[in-house]
Amino acid sequence: MSEYNAIGMELTLPKGAIILHENDPSHYVFVVRTGQVKLSCDSKEGKVLILKIAMAGEVLGLGAAVSGSVNEMTAETLIPTHVKTIGTEDFLAFMRKYREVSMLVAQALSQQYKAAFFSARFLGISATASSKLAAVLLDWGERVGSNGKQGVCFRMALTHEEMGNLAGMTRETVTRVLSAFQKNHLIEVRGSSICIVAPGGLQRLTA
C-alpha cells in the first residue's frame, strides 16, 4: 500500500471531464475514488451506446493497459469526481512486482467481462422497454440510492436520451415509460431526483 500510494496522483475533476478517449493509446489507468463516470462507445454511424456508469472503487482503462491495446471506450464524469491516475507503465511495473496485485487485476477484468456479458444478454433478450428501464433504475438505486421516507432515492445524472442509450431505447420511449411508472405509483420524480417507492413492482417487471 505504501508503494501504491507513492505512484500516480490524485485529481478532482469537474462534471463533463473526459478521462479516457475511445481508440486512444493507453497512457493511464484511473481508480475512481468518488463520483460517477459514464462509459460509452460510438458506432460508425455516430450512434452512442452507454455501456455502464462506473462508481467508486472501479478501475478505468484496465483492459487496454494490460493488453497493450487502445481504449475500448470513452469515460466522462457525470458529476464532480475524484480519481487516482497512474501511468500505464508504472501500473504494469507495480503488477509485475506484486503477485497479489496481478490476481486482483485478473479478478477485476473477470468481473468487467461478466458485467458486459449479462448487460448484453439482458438488452438482447429483454422483451419490453419497461423491463429494461426498471432494471436500470433498480441498479442505480442499489448502487447510489439512499433509503428515505419515500423509498430509495437518488439523483439521476443522465438525461432521458442518455438513459435510452444505456437501456437500448429512444428518448421518447424513456419519457413514456417513466410517466407510466409514476402513474402506477412505482416511482416518484422530482426534477433530477427519482425515488423508487415500490421496488417490488419494478423487480416483477424484470422477472
Side-chain angles (χ1 to χ4, degrees):
M1 286 305 299
S2 177
E3 289 194 36
Y4 170 76
N5 292 331
I7 60 176
M9 63 173 59
E10 304 281 341
L11 296 175
T12 299
L13 304 172
K15 174 184 176 180
I18 302 297
I19 297 176
L20 297 172
H21 285 275
E22 183 180 1
N23 293 324
D24 277 0
S26 172
H27 296 302
Y28 299 94
V29 297
F30 297 86
V31 182
V32 182
R33 299 286 208 185
T34 62
Q36 300 171 12
V37 182
K38 177 177 67 177
L39 306 181
S40 65
C41 61
D42 296 333
S43 70
K44 293 181 179 179
E45 295 77 23
K47 295 182 179 180
V48 177
L49 173 65
I50 297 179
L51 303 170
K52 66 173 295 185
I53 307 301
M55 306 289 187
E58 298 192 55
V59 184
L60 309 181
L62 195 57
V66 172
S67 65
S69 59
V70 297
N71 295 317
E72 306 94 342
M73 61 194 74
T74 295
E76 177 185 354
T77 58
L78 286 173
I79 60 175
T81 298
H82 186 74
V83 300
K84 180 181 177 72
T85 173
I86 306 172
T88 299
E89 292 305 319
D90 290 337
F91 183 77
L92 294 176
F94 186 60
M95 276 183 57
R96 287 191 288 266
K97 187 173 182 179
Y98 294 102
R99 182 176 59 184
E100 296 89 343
V101 175
S102 296
M103 181 58 67
L104 290 172
V105 168
Q107 291 173 352
L109 290 172
S110 175
Q111 290 169 356
Q112 290 177 10
Y113 166 78
K114 288 181 179 179
F117 172 78
F118 286 120
S119 177
R121 185 177 68 173
F122 177 78
L123 292 177
I125 66 176
S126 184
T128 67
S130 296
S131 63
K132 294 177 182 179
L133 195 55
V136 169
L137 295 179
L138 288 168
D139 178 65
W140 201 282
E142 180 180 351
R143 294 201 287 167
V144 300
S146 58
N147 291 312
K149 293 181 180 179
Q150 295 176 305
V152 179
C153 300
F154 54 91
R155 178 178 175 274
M156 174 52 73
L158 299 177
T159 65
H160 284 193
E161 182 174 1
E162 289 173 324
M163 291 174 68
N165 291 337
L166 179 61
M169 62 185 73
T170 66
R171 176 183 59 80
E172 292 78 9
T173 300
V174 170
T175 301
R176 175 177 57 80
V177 173
L178 287 177
S179 296
F181 285 174
Q182 291 184 80
K183 183 178 180 181
N184 292 323
H185 307 291
L186 298 175
I187 65 171
E188 290 186 3
V189 180
R190 295 181 180 179
S192 61
S193 296
I194 295 179
C195 288
I196 301 175
V197 297
L202 291 182
Q203 289 168 354
R204 283 192 289 275
L205 290 174
T206 66

